[in-house]
Amino acid sequence: MTTTSVVDRFSDLALLPAVLTSLEKLGYETPSPIQAQTIPSLLEGRDMIGQAQTGTGKTAAFALPLLTRLDLDRREPQVLVLAPTRELAQQVAVNFTRYGQFMRGLEVATLCGGQDYREQMRSLKSGAQIVVGTPGRVIDHLDRKSLNLNGLKALVLDEADEMLRMGFIDDVDWILGHAPKERQVALFSATMPKQIKHIASTHLNNPIEIKIESKTAT
């Protein structure tokens, strides 16, 4: 199913006032096509498959509604974003921090290889509600029991086809299998190879499918 609602302004979406304030400060006015189509479904807690290229504004498409649905009083991971590379994970984490800059008590942890474990442990201990990481390092922390997914509300697979290309798809499958059964999943991929379709059919519940045809950069 594809939704085609027209949204002219971010303020037309049911986003948290603190999130709208940060968008105003950042100069964001009109949602890109993927944002306009994705945000309402993710706000409702629906599972979603988004087929979109890099540069279409997909980070905001999932970050804004997931920030809106956070419970800041709960000091535990509620959102986990898996990304194929350290660079992308860091970029996504920075965006979450920027969009949530007026949310008091928001903590974002980045878990990637090639970074100091102690720093990562510290941000998990301090109660990060949003965790962004590469699959291998996320599994490391799950094995060490420094990361607990019991309170997880949403899981995002960003650039799923890249994770497949880099050989991470079994790790992704394992993490999804160890996440709580009642959680929202959003999968973003530029292409839909059969292994990605398999992940979607195994782990997503009646997902809405959104396809952004052209590369409309924000």
Side-chain angles (χ1 to χ4, degrees), residues 137-190:
R137 184 56 67 101
V138 167
I139 287 178
D140 273 357
H141 279 283
L142 288 168
D143 283 344
R144 288 167 181 242
K145 305 276 190 282
S146 45
L147 174 61
N148 183 329
L149 300 183
N150 290 346
L152 201 70
K153 296 205 291 200
L155 211 153
V156 179
L157 309 180
D158 197 7
E159 304 204 352
D161 51 354
E162 271 303 291
M163 291 199 270
L164 171 66
R165 196 179 63 77
M166 294 170 71
F168 293 145
I169 212 69
D170 290 343
D171 289 350
V172 169
D173 198 36
W174 187 92
I175 293 165
L176 280 160
H178 285 73
K181 289 281 166 269
E182 297 294 313
R183 67 343 184 187
Q184 178 180 20
V185 183
L187 183 155
F188 291 90
S189 198

Side-chain angles (χ1 to χ4, degrees), residues 184-203:
Q184 178 180 20
V185 183
L187 183 155
F188 291 90
S189 198
T191 58
M192 283 291 161
K194 69 175 187 299
Q195 293 98 317
I196 300 298
K197 286 182 177 152
H198 175 72
I199 288 266
S201 64
T202 309
H203 296 288

Side-chain angles (χ1 to χ4, degrees), residues 4-74:
T4 51
S5 56
V6 178
V7 181
D8 293 327
R9 309 185 69 78
F10 281 106
S11 51
D12 298 337
L13 297 160
L15 294 168
L16 201 65
V19 170
L20 289 171
T21 304
S22 68
L23 291 176
E24 207 173 303
K25 190 178 177 201
L26 293 165
Y28 286 42
E29 284 174 10
T30 309
S32 72
I34 193 165
Q35 291 160 2
Q37 291 186 44
T38 303
I39 290 171
S41 301
L42 289 182
L43 281 171
E44 284 170 14
R46 296 285 307 266
D47 281 8
M48 211 204 70
I49 297 170
Q51 198 168 344
Q53 307 289 334
T54 303
T56 49
K58 66 179 161 51
T59 304
F62 62 78
L64 302 176
L66 295 180
L67 282 167
T68 296
R69 298 187 67 221
L70 277 187
D71 176 356
L72 290 174
D73 295 330
R74 276 177 48 208

